[in-house]
Amino acid sequence: MNNFEYGKKFKKGVTRNQLLDEINVTRDELTNNTVDFFDKTLKVFRRDDSILNSQLYQSERDNLISDFTRSGFLRGKNPIDMVYQSLENAKAILGFIESYIDKRVTTEVSQSSLTLVDTNVLQLLDFIGFASRYARYWIQVILSAESNHLNQLAGDIDATPYQIQWLGENRDAFGRVISLLATPVKRIESLLEDMPEIIIAEANPRALQATQGDKRIDPLKLGFVVSKWNPIWLYGIWNADRQVQRYKAAKDDKEVLEMMVMRLERQLQGHDDPRLHQIYLKRLAQLEKERGKLKDMEEA
Amino acid sequence: MVNRFERSPHGYAYLTGSPFPSQGQAIVFNNDFTYDPVIETLWQRYIKLVGNRAPIDLVLLLVERLKQLFGDFKQWLWINVTTNKAIHGYSIDFLKDTINYSITGKRRYSVTTWEQVVVKKPGVGPVDAQSRIEEFNEIHIPNTTDLLTNWLKHKDGVCDMFYTAHILFGK
């Protein structure tokens, strides 16, 4: 989102502790659930995605690669591995965000004191949380399509209509965010250091754009990411319940995804395990409730 | 006298107190599924902890009990893989992933996922000992002391050990 718009929508003040808590929850979710799963469980697919033959994966594969390479920091021909590389790098970005907040925010950030650099940092944090979740939802659909493809059930996937809609609406943002989060942290630091010290509430965006140019005002091109989700800062979705729910849903995501990979591996070896399918469908139904609760909290 | 191996609810064999059968002695399993009460008590204490950070004496009790239940880990694994008909499929895979965790600190699948897929009160199936042994060909099997000490060196090693003990021998 455009940094000025972002700053203006920033209604409620955010305390230092709230920010640090949010960073911790994001880190736990990213590291223990998403990256860990991509690292270990998906290793086989990261090495070679030619075993994935569902139409769903094949039809999107090239577009994903072209979106992910946009920033120039990701190379490769395997979208699953590219997502992993980007999220692995996001761990370092998160470290930078934490030290920035630690130095910059002594008590609270509010609309009147928000600087252009602050909005960049807050947006980055928001993007990391988004990418971490999107990556899991996305891989769930890919794995499910693959299992069903192997069982010749074309077109059938184990996902809710809401999930499919959410994935579709945010697909463009995902491509941009994965590409962006692959930016080396040193580069982000130096780009942000070069930004002018401007307080959003006091700024005239047009005059600034004319005098400073887009490159200095939005060096990371965050303005191109159109988010269809609700950034937490803007809507004050703060409470501890939401953070607990977010972590719980992420942990359950990981378990269901692991079972899907287990099953897929058996299928690829030529013997399906219907018992496992039943277990994960049951867990998936519970998971939908978890995700539903989280969605309600975030849209309240 | 014949030493009978107990079978845990997930089918894993273990001895409680009696000496390991010597070469040539028959290996006999109890047909009931019986959990180990010591592991179960330690597990209950562990899950009631706030924040899952176990005090050292609790960890030492667990290590002590696992040492008794495994005896010689290599022999324990051998018996389970080659003669225990109640473990197959994911129950064997879980053992491989556990050894791998002790060595590398990484699991292919989370221990909580294993808990859900390892079959409870399993039926007995045929054991093709040779192909099962081959599954372990690429894995270095540690002795009991190395297994347990390396396990605890990893960041979440304590939690993993409690969870694993619960799956192997608990309720």
Side-chain angles (χ1 to χ4, degrees):
Chain A
M1 190 186 295
N2 174 299
N3 282 303
F4 293 100
E5 268 179 53
Y6 195 89
K8 279 181 198 151
K9 283 194 181 175
F10 199 89
K11 293 275 189 295
K12 296 177 183 170
V14 182
T15 68
R16 176 187 157 88
N17 284 345
Q18 284 175 322
L19 281 165
L20 293 176
D21 278 354
E22 190 63 24
I23 292 170
N24 278 332
V25 175
T26 306
R27 180 185 289 118
D28 270 354
E29 180 184 339
L30 176 74
T31 309
N32 299 335
N33 295 306
T34 314
V35 174
D36 190 67
F37 173 73
F38 271 74
D39 175 14
K40 296 181 305 207
T41 317
L42 288 183
K43 201 178 216 164
V44 183
F45 304 104
R46 283 197 292 111
R47 270 197 211 128
D48 177 15
D49 70 340
S50 68
I51 30 181
L52 296 173
N53 285 309
S54 73
Q55 207 216 337
L56 185 92
Y57 184 69
Q58 287 301 327
S59 65
E60 260 293 275
R61 191 180 169 277
D62 291 348
N63 292 336
L64 285 165
I65 292 173
S66 115
D67 284 1
F68 293 164
T69 45
R70 201 178 276 151
S71 66
F73 296 112
L74 277 179
R75 294 208 176 81
K77 299 228 171 300
N78 180 336
I80 298 174
D81 191 51
M82 291 164 100
V83 169
Y84 167 69
Q85 286 177 43
S86 171
L87 294 179
E88 185 65 41
N89 188 60
K91 282 162 52 177
I93 300 178
L94 211 48
F96 159 72
I97 296 173
E98 188 171 33
S99 66
Y100 177 87
I101 299 291
D102 192 37
K103 277 185 222 145
R104 158 85 176 89
V105 186
T106 46
T107 49
E108 160 174 292
V109 183
S110 65
Q111 198 186 22
S112 61
S113 65
L114 203 64
T115 69
L116 203 50
V117 181
D118 294 343
T119 57
N120 273 266
V121 172
L122 293 178
Q123 286 217 70
L124 278 176
L125 179 53
D126 183 32
F127 287 170
I128 293 172
F130 159 74
S132 176
R133 188 186 299 184
Y134 194 102
R136 295 194 309 271
Y137 285 21
W138 169 65
I139 209 73
Q140 182 197 324
V141 172
I142 301 295
L143 293 172
S144 166
E146 198 59 36
S147 271
N148 288 331
H149 169 75
L150 287 170
N151 282 0
Q152 289 165 343
L153 294 165
D156 246 0
I157 45 172
D158 302 325
T160 61
Y162 165 73
Q163 190 184 353
I164 294 168
Q165 185 199 340
W166 188 84
L167 284 169
E169 281 175 353
N170 291 301
R171 163 67 186 81
D172 184 66
F174 183 61
R176 290 176 192 276
V177 167
I178 288 296
S179 169
L180 171 75
L181 292 178
T183 312
V185 71
K186 287 222 157 107
R187 172 103 182 122
I188 293 182
E189 275 180 53
S190 75
L191 285 172
L192 295 185
E193 262 172 35
D194 288 346
M195 285 179 78
E197 266 296 316
I198 291 166
I199 293 181
I200 303 260
E202 297 165 1
N204 176 344
R206 282 205 180 160
L208 273 170
Q209 255 148 357
T211 55
Q212 306 269 354
D214 281 342
K215 269 198 180 163
R216 284 201 73 201
I217 296 206
D218 187 11
L220 291 165
K221 301 197 177 92
L222 306 187
F224 287 99
V225 182
V226 181
S227 56
K228 301 271 182 185
W229 67 94
N230 290 347
I232 40 172
W233 330 105
L234 306 190
Y235 300 91
I237 314 161
W238 269 120
N239 57 54
D241 284 352
R242 180 197 140 270
Q243 289 178 334
V244 170
Q245 187 61 30
R246 179 173 159 195
Y247 190 73
K248 212 167 154 217
K251 191 173 155 293
D252 288 349
D253 273 358
K254 186 183 173 205
E255 276 182 14
V256 168
L257 290 171
E258 286 184 341
M259 286 184 214
M260 294 177 98
V261 175
M262 274 184 181
R263 180 187 178 212
L264 190 53
E265 287 195 329
R266 288 280 152 108
Q267 284 179 292
L268 289 166
Q269 290 159 3
H271 28 91
D272 194 5
D273 185 343
R275 186 185 73 96
L276 191 59
H277 189 208
Q278 289 312 313
I279 299 176
Y280 92 58
L281 283 182
K282 206 171 142 197
R283 295 285 290 124
L284 193 60
Q286 292 165 347
L287 179 61
E288 293 307 342
K289 283 186 197 154
E290 302 273 321
R291 287 174 174 173
K293 259 194 224 166
L294 186 61
K295 176 176 168 268
D296 292 344
M297 284 176 171
E298 292 185 348
E299 289 178 359
Chain B
M1 197 189 108
V2 177
N3 296 327
R4 280 182 183 273
F5 278 84
E6 301 291 346
R7 271 199 184 114
S8 72
H10 281 113
Y12 296 98
Y14 62 100
L15 281 173
T16 50
S18 48
F20 208 81
S22 50
Q23 208 168 7
Q25 253 186 318
I27 290 165
V28 186
F29 297 98
N30 266 344
N31 282 331
D32 300 336
F33 296 104
T34 323
Y35 64 88
D36 178 58
V38 180
I39 291 288
E40 186 53 30
T41 310
L42 294 174
W43 170 249
Q44 289 302 331
R45 283 177 62 187
Y46 178 72
I47 52 175
K48 282 179 193 137
L49 291 171
V50 178
N52 279 7
R53 202 163 280 201
I56 188 72
D57 58 338
L58 192 60
V59 179
L60 288 176
L61 287 172
L62 176 70
V63 169
E64 248 346 277
R65 189 58 181 172
L66 282 178
K67 265 175 155 174
Q68 289 165 2
L69 294 174
F70 286 140
D72 178 329
F73 181 70
K74 290 185 185 189
Q75 279 185 326
W76 178 85
L77 187 70
W78 182 261
I79 297 288
N80 273 290
V81 170
T82 58
T83 49
N84 183 2
K85 292 180 178 177
I87 62 167
H88 27 74
Y90 293 120
S91 320
I92 302 268
D93 292 346
F94 175 56
L95 292 177
K96 286 194 280 185
D97 204 32
T98 299
I99 296 168
N100 196 41
Y101 180 84
S102 164
I103 297 168
T104 65
K106 288 185 173 189
R107 275 193 180 279
R108 180 90 206 282
Y109 300 105
S110 317
V111 73
T112 47
T113 301
W114 283 118
E115 189 191 13
Q116 294 174 65
V117 301
V118 173
V119 183
K120 250 192 174 174
K121 298 195 175 168
V124 288
V127 174
D128 177 359
Q130 195 51 41
S131 74
R132 281 188 175 197
I133 291 166
E134 278 165 17
E135 284 192 53
F136 285 82
N137 271 354
E138 311 247 309
I139 303 173
H140 168 75
I141 316 287
N143 64 37
T144 315
T145 313
D146 288 349
L147 176 89
L148 297 175
T149 45
N150 284 333
W151 205 334
L152 292 173
K153 282 180 190 163
H154 306 305
K155 190 172 146 255
D156 298 316
V158 170
C159 175
D160 193 276
M161 190 185 270
F162 270 97
Y163 232 111
T164 303
H166 163 67
I167 298 172
L168 292 178
F169 308 116
K171 238 182 202 174

